[in-house]
Amino acid sequence: MDVVDFWVRSWTADDLTAARRLLTPDVETEWNFDAPVDDEEMLQVLHRVAAFADAVTVVARTDAIDGAALIYDLAGPFGTARLVEFLAVAENRITEVRHVYDVTAIDRYFPGLYAN
C-alpha cells in the first residue's frame, strides 16, 4: 500500500510536511497517552521521536483493504520502546491514525515526549 509506505518513510525521516499531506483535513487521531491529541500534536510527537531516536524500525506490518497495522521499535539512547500504529486509508489519504505506545518504556527512555 503506497500511502502507508510513504507515511512511514515520511515521518521516520522527520519530513512532517510530506506526512501531513497524507492526512485528510478531518483525520481522526487517538492515542493512549494521558494528553489530548489532534493531528498537529501527533505530528509534533512523531517529530520528537524521529529527532531523538537512534532508529525507528518497523518490526511487523499487517495490511488490510482499508489500512494497515504496524509495530515499530523506537530505539533511544537508553533503551527501546514500542509503538503500535493503526492507519485507515481511503482514496489514497489517511483518515484515521491510532497509536498505542508502551507508555512505561516511553516515560523511561523518551522522557517528556508527549508533554506540552
Side-chain angles (χ1 to χ4, degrees), residues 45-115:
V45 166
L46 291 177
H47 158 70
R48 291 194 287 274
V49 169
F52 183 72
D54 295 329
V56 177
T57 308
V58 176
V59 295
R61 175 176 167 169
T62 302
D63 289 325
I65 293 171
D66 60 349
L70 302 106
I71 301 174
Y72 299 89
D73 273 350
L74 312 175
F78 307 109
T80 300
R82 283 251 161 113
L83 160 62
V84 179
E85 180 176 62
F86 301 92
L87 301 173
V89 177
E91 299 177 9
N92 293 317
R93 302 280 304 273
I94 296 172
T95 61
E96 295 178 28
V97 181
R98 307 247 185 275
H99 283 176
V100 180
Y101 288 87
D102 176 348
V103 178
T104 301
I106 289 289
D107 288 346
R108 182 178 302 136
Y109 303 130
F110 295 82
L113 179 70
Y114 55 94

